[in-house]
Amino acid sequence: MNIVVLLALLGLAILWGSAFPVIKVGLEGLGVPHLTLLRHLVASLFLIPVLLLTRQPLLPRTRDVGGFILLGRVGIALYHFSLNAGELRVSAGATSLIIAAAPAISALLARFLLGDRLPVLGWVGSGISFAGIVLIVLGDSAGIGFDPYALLVLLSAFCAAVYVVRQKPFLERYSALQVTAFAAWGATLPLLIILPGLPGAMAGAPAAAGAAVYLGIFPSAIAYSLLAFALSRLSVSITTVFLYAVPVFAILFSWILLGEVPSLLTAFGGAVVIGGIVLVNLTKGRRVGRARTAVAVSQPE
């Protein structure tokens, strides 16, 4: 795998992992609606000068406008709204376990919608990573504690999978930054209905507002751009397996920022997750190697 793509996926996992403890801060002061709006409003505004500085068009083709609006509403707005609402009642362990289903859902959707096949060894690596997530959950002192609100978290996992798969065709016509910006704007538009109450909420919770600004710039604008960049160069099934690393970094940031010390079982689960990802990466290398061999054999001497 290209080192640049690997670094992009690593950055994505780190930034999304950092989001979970910061979301807790935002929810305490702003609540679900205003945190969701402010996060994506910041991301949307941040991406405008980025596109201008890189001299990229600020508008998609007319025929793609509806597609980007739908992509943003489902894959970003509905995803974050349902995830934030679910986290109000569902334990961190259960949330991690449910969200960890997103890569598998993405691989299945990509298989049927894009014809993207993950080799058997790749599925084995994915299964190993999911087993590591289970160990992380079991090592979580908060426990699993499923609640009916877990259905909202499951909805967010499905929305994340839809976002990953449905943006892939757009990456054939637009840059990673453009896809991220257009989807972010599509997500923010329907949320503007709750804009009138936002200034007062921000004034009453400056720490939460600061958390939302961080979420908007780093885990949203930058991390979603890194995801699009990786998807423009890798298959959906390979890219999404790296998302299993997100809970690992979430644990590290919770340890650093919130003082939540992970148990030995949790640390072991993180190691298992990384092992599964390495296995999938080796599968990618084998596929590339076989493709090159086939091309070399087919060429006349």
Side-chain angles (χ1 to χ4, degrees), residues 43-200:
S44 296
L45 294 175
F46 176 81
L47 286 165
I48 294 175
V50 173
L51 286 177
L52 290 173
L53 288 173
T54 54
R55 298 182 178 180
Q56 299 184 54
L58 290 175
L59 294 174
R61 299 181 181 92
T62 303
R63 65 187 178 93
D64 291 328
V65 171
F68 276 116
I69 291 176
L70 184 61
L71 180 68
R73 287 184 178 182
V74 174
I76 298 180
L78 183 57
Y79 164 77
H80 285 284
F81 196 91
S82 57
L83 177 62
N84 291 342
E87 281 194 288
L88 292 174
R89 293 265 298 267
V90 182
S91 69
T95 300
S96 299
L97 183 59
I98 297 169
I99 289 295
I105 298 173
S106 298
L108 290 173
L109 288 176
R111 171 67 183 86
F112 292 107
L113 298 178
L114 304 176
D116 179 9
R117 295 185 178 183
L118 185 65
V120 174
L121 195 59
W123 282 109
V124 172
S126 182
I128 290 174
S129 291
F130 186 79
I133 299 295
V134 174
L135 292 176
I136 289 173
V137 172
L138 293 176
D140 181 5
S141 60
I144 295 180
F146 278 103
D147 184 276
Y149 271 55
L151 293 175
L152 290 172
V153 183
L154 181 60
L155 174 62
S156 67
F158 181 78
C159 289
V162 170
Y163 178 79
V164 170
V165 174
R166 295 310 304 168
Q167 75 168 288
K168 183 72 172 177
F170 286 122
L171 290 168
E172 298 175 359
R173 304 189 294 276
Y174 300 94
S175 70
L177 278 173
Q178 286 179 302
V179 170
T180 303
F182 299 157
W185 299 341
T188 305
L189 284 174
L191 296 174
L192 293 178
I193 191 174
I194 54 176
L195 181 61
L198 182 61

Side-chain angles (χ1 to χ4, degrees), residues 282-299:
L282 291 175
T283 300
K284 173 67 168 54
R286 286 186 178 183
R287 292 180 68 182
V288 172
R290 288 175 182 173
R292 290 176 178 172
T293 301
V295 171
V297 170
S298 64
Q299 291 178 344

